[in-house]
Amino acid sequence: MQPRSLEQILRQLQQDPRWQQDRTLRQIQQHWAAIVGPAIAAQAEPVAIQRQTLQVAVSSGAWAQTLGFERLRLLQRLRQELKISVQELKDIRFSTAYRDRRNTTAPLESDRQQQSWQTHPCRLGESFTLSTASDPLQHRRELSRRLPRCPRCGIPTPPGELQRWHCCALCIRQQWADPSR
């Protein structure tokens, strides 16, 4: 048997369907933001091609639904811009199942959400961080013992709620629903 040249081996590899899918995926990933725009690119990222279907990780179910409505338009744009054949790419699926694989995040939204959570009155803060209990019920009991009590109903209440409303969120909701209380 005669040894094959590196060029022959690479040519054979490039004709393999799996190699072609990987190349197509890399091409889509490189041009994704330019094709879909920065707003969508911040929330969605192509992660795989399986059975000629592009799998796209999205940040939330709302984005999956919204982009699902736009999938035919996006598919057509991908095919036109990148010269991808119908046999190579037949469909697009958007899912939150792949979100852990995403390399990008939406910095503005995630920073805003993080900042909002840091100042939220229901947040317990680091002073209430407990040892990692394997039993969730035990964790809950320990947390209940450490939290201050609502002066109206007596349930364990995050300190931020007491500072803001002088009672728990349930009591303030009842008060807002019925101001005569």
Side-chain angles (χ1 to χ4, degrees):
M1 185 166 150
Q2 184 178 351
R4 296 184 299 170
S5 70
L6 185 57
E7 186 179 330
Q8 289 173 327
I9 294 170
L10 288 175
R11 197 174 298 125
Q12 184 180 359
L13 271 175
Q14 286 178 338
Q15 292 174 356
D16 185 302
R18 290 172 296 184
W19 182 276
Q20 186 65 27
Q21 275 186 349
D22 287 345
R23 194 176 76 178
T24 302
L25 177 61
R26 282 192 307 277
Q27 183 183 16
I28 291 170
Q29 288 171 331
Q30 288 171 350
H31 300 284
W32 180 252
I35 292 171
V36 301
I40 293 174
Q43 302 296 328
E45 177 187 14
V47 293
I49 295 178
Q50 297 171 342
R51 297 183 181 144
Q52 294 89 27
T53 300
L54 178 64
Q55 304 293 328
V56 178
V58 292
S59 60
S60 70
W63 273 103
Q65 183 176 17
T66 301
L67 293 174
F69 293 133
E70 295 289 321
R71 85 176 168 48
L72 293 177
R73 185 184 62 78
L74 291 172
L75 185 61
Q76 183 180 15
R77 287 205 54 208
L78 284 170
R79 287 182 186 149
Q80 285 175 347
E81 300 276 333
L82 302 177
K83 311 285 189 260
I84 298 172
S85 71
V86 176
Q87 288 73 30
E88 286 180 85
L89 193 60
K90 293 183 178 181
D91 204 357
I92 302 177
R93 292 284 178 244
F94 301 95
S95 175
T96 58
Y98 294 104
R99 70 177 162 215
D100 293 339
R101 296 185 190 180
R102 293 184 69 222
N103 294 327
T104 60
T105 59
L108 292 176
E109 186 173 334
S110 64
D111 288 348
R112 198 170 29 242
Q113 288 173 346
Q114 187 66 23
Q115 183 180 14
S116 175
W117 173 239
Q118 293 298 329
T119 59
H120 195 277
C122 295
R123 180 160 168 76
L124 295 176
E126 284 70 36
S127 61
F128 288 94
T129 303
L130 304 172
S131 60
T132 55
S134 58
D135 180 18
L137 189 56
Q138 179 62 32
H139 175 80
R140 189 82 172 148
R141 284 184 189 132
E142 186 179 336
L143 184 60
S144 289
R145 275 184 249 134
R146 294 182 64 197
L147 286 173
R149 303 287 172 167
C150 172
R152 292 187 187 173
C153 67
I155 66 167
T157 305
E161 290 181 13
L162 292 175
Q163 288 173 346
R164 187 171 188 177
W165 302 309
H166 307 291
C167 60
C168 70
L170 298 173
C171 289
I172 198 67
R173 183 174 177 264
Q174 286 176 346
Q175 181 180 330
W176 289 339
D178 183 12
S180 62
R181 285 187 157 195

